[in-house]
Amino acid sequence: MWEIDLVDFPTHLFQSHQPPNFSVIAGSIKLLYPWPPRSSTHVRRSRSYLKAPARPTIFVLDRAQKSLGLVSGTPDYRSAEGFTQPDATARTYKYTQDGKLFAIALPTCVRIHNANDCSVAIELPVPNVVEIGFSPKGTYLSTWERYVKPVVENTQHRNHRVWSVATGEEVISFTQKSIEDWDLQYTPSEDKAIRVVTGEVDIYQPSDWTKGIVDRLKLEGITAVAPSPGQYPALAVFVSEKKGAPASVKIYSLLALSAPPTCSKSFFKADKCVMKWNNLGTQILVLTSTDVDKSNKNYYGETNLYLLSSAGNFDCRVTLDKEGPIHDFTWSPTSKEFGVVYGFMPAKTVLFDQRVRPLHDFGAHPRNFISFNTQGRLLALAGFGNLAGKIDVVDRRSLAKVCEIDAPNTSWCEWSPDGRSLLTATLSPRLRVDNGIKIWHCTGPLLHVHMVEELYQASWKPALPESAPPFGNTLPPAPAPSESVAAYQAAKPTPTKPAGTYRPPGARGALTPAIFKREDEGGTPTLDGLPTTSRNSSQTNLARQSSPAPNGQGAGRGLRGRVVPGAAPPGWVPPETESKKSKKKGKKKADDVGEGGEGAQVANDGAPTAPKSKNSSGPRIPGASETSRKGNQSGTNAQGKSGPPPSLDLGNAKGKSVSQSAGTTPNGVTTPASGTGEGHDPAKRIRNLTKKLKAIDELKERRKRGEVLEGTQVQKIEGEGDIRKELERLQISIAASAS
């Protein structure tokens, strides 16, 4: 039988066209079976009066140190009529799932209010309550007090109590020392209540609490359970690792706990877990975590995500393509897909289907929060905590970004029951300044601001998902903001221009190399933690070659093309700081050059060159290696005497010096390099080149392990080909001279 609510339905219009299989009762239509219209006339006339249900009234409840406020929603945001402030500080509050009741824990009692008119429904005389919780239908209320060791022996302080909301009577009580997972868990229909104790799961029947435990599941090492929604609920049980045995998640039918589990999955690296069922109760996501990461890559331990089916026909690990922790995950209200935020910052956000196939990648951004709205049409992606507080609202239908909301210092974010607004709150003790509530429309505008000193809790008044009005083809327009928005923006200080990152004078006015940028800001993309070197090298060369110097000198020569008049070039060491060993080395080198003759020197092309002066470093030999500039950094000339620093060409794009290097003649004879101690000895040169190749191999191994290399280290790897060519040339030269 179908029931359709009507608004101001004129029943007399159906007297002549009334289908034979429906009746109008108290402003609603009761269809006894699906209505087959006899003609299009019935359809047109009926559709004009089958209006969508009105939007539910939205309220926001907030709890501060000295106040408790209830504010209505759009458009007026006024305090709710009939609600009176309690005479004492409220410790916590809780709504029922349908939003019809809410309870407030006071130092002397617990008050249950009707949410419609804020009247007090019942007051429970239980003092010092710390936590409260409703059953799914609001039939029972659980309270938890701090455990106190009893004075009388052989007695226990029953600090966990369950009360009937209708009568205010205590129906059952337990001893629960820990506040973690203290409350009972119910099935959606409230026909079963589940409690976890050491080594077992106890099942109660809420319709008759006097029966006590009606069923029991004994399993050593149980630490968490999660009953599923749906008509035939199942029970997911988590058993942690113990004495080398792997952890496991097992799914049982609540109707037959003694039967074997319908699904079971074992895995290591799991000390604790978080389990989330989809709305249909057919699949469950299990997030496992460890307290310590044995690979020392994450301070907060290691995390993994698994997907299991309650029927046992599918289970697998969710494979993620970026290293790092799993920050957040959630199911879509459609139960057909889920989203995961994972990886080291900037984290990736990916949508998966129910078979763990990627549907869409939202890219790498600083995020750690993901949430669908009630209808599953919109998706909020944000970064809170120590992140900037940016919220991206994405349209799930088109996968396009609707807007970006700037909500810094947010510690609580929640969609409204109608799925059209976002509530962000800054709460204590996370932050003790700028505490308050902000309400944003899904298209971006700020609708309301409510600043509260020392705010501890804030939330929407809940409503059932089916009461949320559906979205149309286009998103609804934003209503006019309240007066508090204008007052807040007027009192907000004018933002000053950000100073930006400090850059030394030599780097100002140049492009930032991609290796120093975040990936979401156009930096080098990573794959498994490995930077893409091709993009890095191209942007680095661009910064060096095409960036003008800030003072106008050396324009077009890049960062290393800037020459400071009167300053020594980079790498030059004053003669007085030399060691004795380097002086002797330079003297011996000069003697070797003298023995070869000072009048002429053979170049690569075989043509004699002009005699060198004592203080000149000589002309550059074409084909000389970049790495042979080592000797020029000693600060001596060819005769081993100190002199002015050698002339350097700082405008070279690779940053090479023009010091004289070793070359080879067409006959294979190596010419000694001026200022080097190894150019005349091919064997020594080969040893040095071999060392450099070994260092390059070590850098490659570090890069394969996922380490991010510096720009100079990447350049060393890129120069491997030149080194190998020179090494091959020297080996051919030695072989030719030996023959």
Side-chain angles (χ1 to χ4, degrees):
M1 183 171 60
W2 296 356
E3 179 176 348
I4 306 175
D5 292 332
L6 302 180
V7 179
D8 298 329
F9 175 68
T11 58
H12 65 278
L13 295 180
F14 258 88
Q15 293 176 357
S16 59
H17 299 280
Q18 176 176 340
N21 49 355
F22 91 109
S23 59
V24 179
I25 303 175
S28 64
I29 296 180
K30 303 274 185 185
L31 295 180
L32 305 181
Y33 54 89
W35 173 22
R38 290 171 293 177
S39 66
S40 59
T41 306
H42 292 148
V43 177
R44 288 196 302 268
R45 296 194 179 185
S46 61
R47 282 179 180 173
S48 62
Y49 297 105
L50 299 184
K51 300 180 181 179
R55 290 177 57 185
T57 305
I58 298 177
F59 289 92
V60 178
L61 184 60
D62 61 87
R63 178 180 65 90
Q65 183 183 19
K66 301 178 181 179
S67 64
L68 186 72
L70 183 61
V71 180
S72 63
T74 305
D76 48 7
Y77 298 98
R78 294 181 298 182
S79 297
E81 298 179 359
F83 180 73
T84 57
Q85 287 282 342
D87 52 359
T89 302
R91 293 183 175 178
T92 186
Y93 71 83
K94 190 75 68 175
Y95 269 103
T96 56
Q97 291 185 6
D98 56 8
K100 294 181 179 179
L101 301 173
F102 67 92
I104 305 172
L106 300 174
T108 58
C109 64
V110 175
R111 290 178 186 169
I112 302 177
H113 294 256
N114 292 312
N116 293 332
D117 55 3
C118 300
S119 62
V120 177
I122 198 168
E123 184 173 306
L124 305 178
V126 49
N128 302 322
V129 170
V130 178
E131 287 290 341
I132 56 179
F134 278 103
S135 61
K137 291 185 175 181
T139 309
Y140 304 100
L141 176 71
S142 300
T143 61
W144 186 88
E145 314 155 30
R146 297 189 186 277
Y147 179 78
V148 179
K149 187 176 180 180
V151 179
V152 182
E153 295 182 358
N154 300 326
T155 59
Q156 291 289 335
H157 177 208
R158 295 185 173 270
N159 59 327
H160 178 195
R161 307 182 190 182
V162 181
W163 309 79
S164 172
V165 174
T167 62
E169 297 178 355
E170 180 180 330
V171 294
I172 197 170
S173 60
F174 309 97
T175 298
Q176 178 70 30
K177 296 182 180 180
S178 175
I179 195 174
E180 184 177 359
D181 298 330
W182 66 274
D183 199 6
L184 296 174
Q185 299 189 59
Y186 297 84
T187 57
S189 60
E190 292 186 0
D191 58 343
K192 303 284 185 182
I194 304 158
R195 182 170 183 259
V196 181
V197 295
T198 305
E200 66 181 42
V201 179
D202 297 336
I203 309 297
Y204 296 84
Q205 188 174 340
S207 59
D208 191 355
W209 291 98
T210 58
K211 291 183 178 181
I213 301 173
V214 297
D215 203 353
R216 178 176 291 163
L217 174 64
K218 291 188 177 181
L219 202 60
E220 186 178 358
I222 293 178
T223 57
V225 297
S228 72
Q231 187 176 2
Y232 303 101
L235 182 67
V237 178
F238 173 73
V239 179
S240 61
E241 289 185 73
K242 188 176 182 182
K243 297 180 180 179
S248 64
V249 171
K250 299 180 180 180
I251 300 178
Y252 295 86
S253 172
L254 271 174
L255 302 178
L257 284 179
S258 58
T262 59
C263 183
S264 179
K265 181 75 172 176
S266 299
F267 34 74
F268 287 96
K269 300 180 181 179
D271 297 331
K272 49 189 176 182
C273 81
V274 176
M275 296 181 283
K276 292 183 180 181
W277 286 95
N278 60 3
N279 288 344
L280 297 178
T282 56
Q283 290 182 314
I284 185 173
L285 286 170
V286 181
L287 175 66
T288 63
S289 60
T290 59
D291 295 328
V292 178
D293 185 4
K294 295 182 180 180
S295 62
N296 293 327
K297 291 184 178 180
N298 188 11
Y299 177 78
Y300 298 100
E302 187 173 353
T303 55
N304 291 290
L305 188 63
Y306 301 88
L307 177 66
L308 289 81
S309 172
S310 60
N313 54 6
F314 183 79
D315 64 83
C316 73
R317 177 183 173 183
V318 181
T319 303
L320 306 175
D321 58 355
K322 186 173 184 177
E323 291 186 355
I326 298 174
H327 305 283
D328 196 12
F329 68 102
T330 187
W331 280 101
S332 168
T334 62
S335 300
K336 297 180 180 180
E337 60 188 15
F338 61 93
V340 187
V341 182
Y342 62 93
F344 295 113
M345 290 296 164
K348 291 188 67 176
T349 305
V350 177
L351 279 180
F352 296 89
D353 66 3
Q354 53 191 351
R355 291 291 173 176
V356 199
R357 293 185 292 258
L359 296 176
H360 184 72
D361 186 350
F362 291 98
H365 296 276
R367 296 167 175 158
N368 56 10
F369 175 84
I370 179 172
S371 177
F372 285 91
N373 72 339
T374 308
Q375 299 88 346
R377 173 68 182 275
L378 298 176
L379 182 64
L381 307 174
F384 300 133
N386 58 352
L387 301 179
K390 301 286 185 181
I391 305 175
D392 292 335
V393 179
V394 179
D395 189 346
R396 177 60 190 89
R397 182 176 297 179
S398 62
L399 294 174
K401 183 163 74 171
V402 177
C403 65
E404 180 178 314
I405 297 173
D406 187 10
N409 302 327
T410 296
S411 50
W412 178 258
C413 181
E414 183 183 6
W415 282 102
S416 63
D418 63 353
R420 285 161 167 76
S421 303
L422 270 170
L423 181 145
T424 61
T426 303
L427 305 178
S428 292
R430 174 67 177 83
L431 285 174
R432 297 188 180 275
V433 295
D434 296 334
N435 284 184
I437 299 169
K438 295 178 182 177
I439 298 177
W440 311 79
H441 193 256
C442 61
T443 57
L446 180 61
L447 301 180
H448 180 66
V449 179
H450 181 51
M451 306 305 292
V452 182
E453 184 179 357
E454 288 195 48
L455 180 65
Y456 289 101
Q457 191 177 358
S459 67
W460 298 99
K461 172 190 171 183
L464 295 176
E466 52 267 22
S467 65
F471 277 85
N473 294 329
T474 59
L475 297 181
S482 66
E483 298 177 356
S484 61
V485 175
Y488 171 77
Q489 293 177 347
K492 188 177 180 180
T494 304
T496 58
K497 184 178 180 181
T501 307
Y502 171 76
R503 308 188 75 177
R508 293 172 185 170
L511 297 176
T512 303
I515 197 172
F516 298 114
K517 291 182 179 180
R518 274 201 331 235
E519 186 175 342
D520 59 307
E521 294 180 349
T524 304
T526 59
L527 183 59
D528 295 335
L530 181 66
T532 306
T533 56
S534 60
R535 181 177 179 183
N536 173 60
S537 60
S538 64
Q539 292 210 13
T540 305
N541 292 336
L542 177 64
R544 290 176 178 168
Q545 294 175 4
S546 62
S547 300
N551 59 0
Q553 299 184 7
R557 292 183 294 176
L559 298 178
R560 301 194 181 192
R562 184 170 181 262
V563 178
V564 181
W572 179 71
V573 182
E576 57 270 14
T577 62
E578 290 181 326
S579 63
K580 294 182 179 180
K581 183 176 179 180
S582 62
K583 289 184 179 180
K584 290 181 180 179
K585 191 174 181 180
K587 186 174 181 181
K588 181 180 179 182
K589 174 180 50 184
D591 293 341
D592 292 339
V593 175
E595 292 175 2
E598 298 181 1
Q601 188 173 3
V602 181
N604 263 355
D605 55 0
T609 59
K612 298 184 302 179
S613 63
K614 291 184 179 182
N615 292 333
S616 66
S617 59
R620 181 185 178 96
I621 300 176
S625 171
E626 171 191 359
T627 56
S628 62
R629 65 176 185 267
K630 183 177 179 181
N632 279 336
Q633 298 176 2
S634 62
T636 60
N637 56 18
Q639 282 73 26
K641 300 177 183 180
S642 62
S647 174
L648 298 179
D649 181 13
L650 298 181
N652 189 278
K654 291 288 185 183
K656 300 177 182 178
S657 66
V658 293
S659 59
Q660 197 170 12
S661 305
T664 57
T665 65
N667 297 329
V669 181
T670 304
T671 60
S674 174
T676 64
E678 59 190 28
H680 66 286
D681 189 354
K684 180 184 259 187
R685 180 65 180 157
I686 288 175
R687 287 196 300 271
N688 289 338
L689 293 177
T690 305
K691 289 181 181 179
K692 292 182 179 180
L693 289 176
K694 184 178 179 181
I696 290 175
D697 292 338
E698 292 178 355
L699 290 175
K700 287 182 177 180
E701 290 296 328
R702 290 172 56 188
R703 189 170 66 176
K704 288 181 180 179
R705 291 195 299 266
E707 297 184 21
V708 179
L709 304 181
E710 298 180 357
T712 55
Q713 293 173 330
V714 175
Q715 290 179 6
K716 286 182 181 179
I717 296 177
E718 293 174 351
E720 180 183 4
D722 296 337
I723 296 176
R724 292 193 181 277
K725 289 180 182 179
E726 185 177 357
L727 180 61
E728 183 180 357
R729 185 169 58 248
L730 289 174
Q731 290 173 346
I732 295 174
S733 174
I734 292 177
S737 60
S739 61

